[in-house]
Amino acid sequence: MLAAVGALPPPPGSSNCSTACGGVDIPYPFGIGPAGCALPGFELTCRDTSNGGKKPFLGHGGHFELAGVSLPDGQARVWNNISSYCNDTSQTIMDVVSFADPYRLSQAGNTFTVVGCHAVAIVGVGDSADNIVRFLSGCVATNCGRRGGRLADGACSGAGCCQTTITKGFNAYQVEFQNYSTVFNSSKDIYNVSRCSYAALMESSSFSFRRSYATSSEFFDANGGKVPMVVEWAVRNTSNCVEARKNRESYACVSMNSACVNSSSGLGYICNCAKGFEGNPYLPNERDDIVESVV
């Protein structure tokens, strides 16, 4: 395929393509560099950050910092902003987070998490293209007790912390803190316990509640107002593996020892190594190592 300038793009993995940025490995179909270093939609940018050093970001100039990629799972970890609502705020707070193709919010890998006392937060998911919320859910974090006496480390079941799931297959969500009454989100009685409430869609395995999260800004401050989140990706230029194999020129599973797997997060597919092999199934010239079984 010819690039827009009329020259052949560099082959994936060539010296013109960066394979790492800021300590994060960048496996094809992701790539940093000129045209051809990544499949369309999988382009990344390696740029300087304010906290020092270069970091990889989704797309060209995107604001989601990439923390890692899993080829077999069709997943990527990114850093997501935490939404906040403080009890001296009277208006409704609403934050919107959206991704472009090929990314979808992971239902299995994430949990909508709310931290605070007397806090209500709602999460709505939908498609960024039509800007419509399709499904809503939410939870209530309350009952912190006098001076946080009901809080317990590791317990996120309503006292200072609550969690709920999202509907899968969407690429955008919004967080809303609503001032429903003088009890939720704005009670002056909790000022000395928890002045602010926090909410984020975040990687489930990365969260373990601490009492100090509900009584201070520690949850927000720990990583500069960000938490890890999982997004699922796929080659989405066709509906499934059957359709993808009909066009060998655009078929992404080019390794002779690769297998096509239908996406679990919508249209498209990912590539895995065939049983007994390991390597990168998106590269044609990479030697796939045989995995030996030890009996």
Side-chain angles (χ1 to χ4, degrees):
M1 182 180 295
L2 296 179
V5 295
L8 286 173
S14 74
S15 59
N16 295 320
C17 305
S18 298
T19 57
C21 173
V24 178
D25 292 332
I26 310 297
Y28 193 80
F30 295 85
I32 300 172
C37 287
L39 281 182
F42 291 86
E43 298 88 356
L44 303 175
T45 303
C46 186
R47 69 171 189 258
D48 292 316
T49 58
S50 58
N51 57 356
K54 291 182 176 296
K55 300 291 183 181
F57 290 81
L58 302 187
H60 298 293
H63 64 278
F64 288 103
E65 180 186 335
L66 180 70
V69 173
S70 171
L71 292 185
D73 298 325
Q75 293 183 343
R77 297 175 73 242
V78 298
W79 287 100
N80 186 30
N81 289 329
I82 299 173
S83 300
S84 62
Y85 183 102
C86 297
N87 67 358
D88 55 359
T89 302
S90 59
Q91 73 271 23
T92 298
I93 302 297
M94 183 179 295
D95 293 329
V96 178
V97 177
S98 64
F99 292 85
D101 272 347
Y103 305 104
R104 298 289 185 272
L105 305 170
S106 174
Q107 179 195 52
N110 297 313
T111 306
F112 182 63
T113 302
V114 181
V115 172
C117 298
H118 291 196
V120 174
I122 298 171
V123 59
V125 295
D127 291 314
S128 59
D130 55 26
N131 198 30
I132 297 176
V133 173
R134 298 294 183 182
F135 295 94
L136 289 171
S137 61
C139 65
V140 179
T142 184
N143 295 325
C144 288
R146 193 173 184 84
R147 298 185 181 278
R150 294 179 180 174
L151 303 174
D153 289 343
C156 186
S157 56
C161 177
C162 67
Q163 293 179 310
T164 189
T165 59
I166 62 168
T167 304
K168 71 176 182 180
F170 296 96
N171 65 358
Y173 78 93
Q174 69 178 34
V175 177
E176 180 178 351
F177 289 97
Q178 182 67 51
N179 186 2
Y180 286 102
S181 69
T182 58
V183 175
F184 294 115
N185 293 330
S186 61
S187 173
K188 301 301 181 182
D189 296 335
I190 65 169
Y191 184 86
N192 292 327
V193 179
S194 174
R195 191 178 76 85
C196 297
S197 303
Y198 307 100
L201 185 64
M202 64 177 297
E203 184 179 39
S204 304
S205 61
S206 294
F207 181 78
S208 179
F209 179 69
R210 299 179 184 176
R211 296 179 72 252
S212 54
Y213 286 173
T215 60
S216 70
S217 60
E218 181 184 346
F219 176 62
F220 186 88
D221 296 338
N223 292 296
K226 295 181 181 295
V227 288
M229 178 174 67
V230 180
V231 291
E232 299 180 1
W233 51 267
V235 181
R236 302 194 189 275
N237 58 2
T238 189
S239 56
N240 53 46
C241 290
V242 173
E243 295 301 316
R245 294 189 188 98
K246 294 179 181 179
N247 189 343
R248 304 303 297 188
E249 291 184 0
S250 63
Y251 186 50
C253 306
V254 294
S255 169
M256 62 182 299
N257 296 311
S258 64
C260 185
V261 180
N262 290 330
S263 171
S264 62
S265 60
L267 300 178
Y269 64 96
I270 62 173
C271 306
N272 279 182
C273 289
K275 186 176 181 180
F277 293 86
E278 62 181 12
N280 189 329
Y282 298 90
L283 295 177
N285 299 320
E286 181 172 291
R287 180 178 64 87
D288 291 330
D289 295 326
I290 299 177
V291 181
E292 297 181 359
S293 299
V294 179
V295 180

